[in-house]
PDB file of all heavy atoms in Angstrom:
ATOM      1  N   HIS A 176     -78.858  -8.721 -55.849  1.00 98.00           N
ATOM      2  CA  HIS A 176     -79.486  -9.012 -57.142  1.00 98.00           C
ATOM      3  C   HIS A 176     -81.003  -8.838 -57.025  1.00 98.00           C
ATOM      4  O   HIS A 176     -81.642  -8.218 -57.885  1.00 98.00           O
ATOM      5  CB  HIS A 176     -79.115 -10.430 -57.550  1.00 98.00           C
ATOM      6  CG  HIS A 176     -79.584 -10.849 -58.903  1.00 98.00           C
ATOM      7  ND1 HIS A 176     -80.040  -9.972 -59.859  1.00 98.00           N
ATOM      8  CD2 HIS A 176     -79.669 -12.076 -59.481  1.00 98.00           C
ATOM      9  CE1 HIS A 176     -80.373 -10.643 -60.940  1.00 98.00           C
ATOM     10  NE2 HIS A 176     -80.177 -11.925 -60.735  1.00 98.00           N
ATOM     11  N   ARG A 216     -67.564 -11.448 -62.340  1.00 97.00           N
ATOM     12  CA  ARG A 216     -67.946 -12.776 -62.845  1.00 97.00           C
ATOM     13  C   ARG A 216     -66.898 -13.821 -62.500  1.00 97.00           C
ATOM     14  O   ARG A 216     -67.230 -14.936 -62.091  1.00 97.00           O
ATOM     15  CB  ARG A 216     -68.127 -12.730 -64.372  1.00 97.00           C
ATOM     16  CG  ARG A 216     -69.431 -12.100 -64.769  1.00 97.00           C
ATOM     17  CD  ARG A 216     -69.508 -11.858 -66.265  1.00 97.00           C
ATOM     18  NE  ARG A 216     -70.790 -11.286 -66.629  1.00 97.00           N
ATOM     19  CZ  ARG A 216     -71.039 -10.697 -67.792  1.00 97.00           C
ATOM     20  NH1 ARG A 216     -70.074 -10.573 -68.686  1.00 97.00           N
ATOM     21  NH2 ARG A 216     -72.235 -10.223 -68.048  1.00 97.00           N
ATOM     22  N   HIS A 276     -80.274 -19.781 -66.460  1.00 98.00           N
ATOM     23  CA  HIS A 276     -80.448 -18.352 -66.228  1.00 98.00           C
ATOM     24  C   HIS A 276     -79.417 -17.504 -66.985  1.00 98.00           C
ATOM     25  O   HIS A 276     -79.742 -16.465 -67.563  1.00 98.00           O
ATOM     26  CB  HIS A 276     -80.319 -18.136 -64.722  1.00 98.00           C
ATOM     27  CG  HIS A 276     -80.623 -16.760 -64.278  1.00 98.00           C
ATOM     28  ND1 HIS A 276     -81.701 -16.049 -64.726  1.00 98.00           N
ATOM     29  CD2 HIS A 276     -79.989 -15.941 -63.395  1.00 98.00           C
ATOM     30  CE1 HIS A 276     -81.713 -14.865 -64.145  1.00 98.00           C
ATOM     31  NE2 HIS A 276     -80.680 -14.772 -63.343  1.00 98.00           N
ATOM     32  N   PHE A 366     -87.650 -11.689 -55.128  1.00 98.00           N
ATOM     33  CA  PHE A 366     -87.326 -12.206 -56.463  1.00 98.00           C
ATOM     34  C   PHE A 366     -88.583 -12.455 -57.280  1.00 98.00           C
ATOM     35  O   PHE A 366     -88.605 -12.223 -58.488  1.00 98.00           O
ATOM     36  CB  PHE A 366     -86.530 -13.507 -56.369  1.00 98.00           C
ATOM     37  CG  PHE A 366     -85.041 -13.330 -56.480  1.00 98.00           C
ATOM     38  CD1 PHE A 366     -84.179 -13.987 -55.613  1.00 98.00           C
ATOM     39  CD2 PHE A 366     -84.480 -12.526 -57.465  1.00 98.00           C
ATOM     40  CE1 PHE A 366     -82.806 -13.834 -55.716  1.00 98.00           C
ATOM     41  CE2 PHE A 366     -83.111 -12.365 -57.579  1.00 98.00           C
ATOM     42  CZ  PHE A 366     -82.272 -13.022 -56.698  1.00 98.00           C
TER      43      PHE A 366
HETATM   44  C1  HEM B 231     -87.002 -14.197 -60.423  1.00 81.82           C
HETATM   45  C2  HEM B 231     -85.730 -14.340 -60.248  1.00 81.82           C
HETATM   46  C3  HEM B 231     -84.627 -13.712 -61.063  1.00 81.82           C
HETATM   47  C4  HEM B 231     -84.677 -12.822 -62.102  1.00 81.82           C
HETATM   48  C5  HEM B 231     -85.915 -12.206 -62.746  1.00 81.82           C
HETATM   49  C6  HEM B 231     -83.312 -12.545 -62.504  1.00 81.82           C
HETATM   50  C7  HEM B 231     -82.942 -11.675 -63.518  1.00 81.82           C
HETATM   51  C8  HEM B 231     -81.658 -11.514 -63.989  1.00 81.82           C
HETATM   52  C9  HEM B 231     -81.286 -10.689 -65.105  1.00 81.82           C
HETATM   53  C10 HEM B 231     -82.249  -9.839 -65.925  1.00 81.82           C
HETATM   54  C11 HEM B 231     -79.941 -10.817 -65.276  1.00 81.82           C
HETATM   55  C12 HEM B 231     -79.087 -10.176 -66.386  1.00 81.82           C
HETATM   56  C13 HEM B 231     -78.449  -8.918 -65.998  1.00 81.82           C
HETATM   57  C14 HEM B 231     -77.794  -8.386 -67.254  1.00 81.82           C
HETATM   58  O1  HEM B 231     -76.828  -9.020 -67.733  1.00 81.82           O
HETATM   59  O2  HEM B 231     -78.286  -7.385 -67.777  1.00 81.82           O
HETATM   60  C15 HEM B 231     -79.453 -11.733 -64.273  1.00 81.82           C
HETATM   61  C16 HEM B 231     -78.139 -12.113 -64.127  1.00 81.82           C
HETATM   62  C17 HEM B 231     -77.689 -13.043 -63.205  1.00 81.82           C
HETATM   63  N1  HEM B 231     -78.435 -13.654 -62.233  1.00 81.82           N
HETATM   64 FE1  HEM B 231     -80.434 -13.453 -61.970  1.00 81.82          FE
HETATM   65  N2  HEM B 231     -82.465 -13.270 -61.716  1.00 81.82           N
HETATM   66  C18 HEM B 231     -83.215 -14.013 -60.834  1.00 81.82           C
HETATM   67  C19 HEM B 231     -82.763 -14.874 -59.863  1.00 81.82           C
HETATM   68  C20 HEM B 231     -81.458 -15.238 -59.706  1.00 81.82           C
HETATM   69  C21 HEM B 231     -80.996 -16.164 -58.716  1.00 81.82           C
HETATM   70  C22 HEM B 231     -81.887 -16.843 -57.705  1.00 81.82           C
HETATM   71  C23 HEM B 231     -79.637 -16.294 -58.886  1.00 81.82           C
HETATM   72  C24 HEM B 231     -78.643 -17.101 -58.129  1.00 81.82           C
HETATM   73  C25 HEM B 231     -78.865 -18.258 -57.608  1.00 81.82           C
HETATM   74  C26 HEM B 231     -79.262 -15.448 -59.977  1.00 81.82           C
HETATM   75  C27 HEM B 231     -77.997 -15.313 -60.472  1.00 81.82           C
HETATM   76  C28 HEM B 231     -77.627 -14.516 -61.534  1.00 81.82           C
HETATM   77  C29 HEM B 231     -76.288 -14.452 -62.077  1.00 81.82           C
HETATM   78  C30 HEM B 231     -75.080 -15.243 -61.587  1.00 81.82           C
HETATM   79  C31 HEM B 231     -76.329 -13.524 -63.119  1.00 81.82           C
HETATM   80  C32 HEM B 231     -75.183 -13.136 -64.063  1.00 81.82           C
HETATM   81  C33 HEM B 231     -74.567 -11.822 -63.733  1.00 81.82           C
HETATM   82  C34 HEM B 231     -73.660 -11.493 -64.879  1.00 81.82           C
HETATM   83  O3  HEM B 231     -74.098 -10.884 -65.856  1.00 81.82           O
HETATM   84  O4  HEM B 231     -72.508 -11.866 -64.819  1.00 81.82           O
HETATM   85  N3  HEM B 231     -80.393 -14.807 -60.459  1.00 81.82           N
HETATM   86  N4  HEM B 231     -80.521 -12.128 -63.505  1.00 81.82           N
END
Side-chain angles (χ1 to χ4, degrees):
H176 185 15
R216 283 171 178 164
H276 187 45
F366 263 135

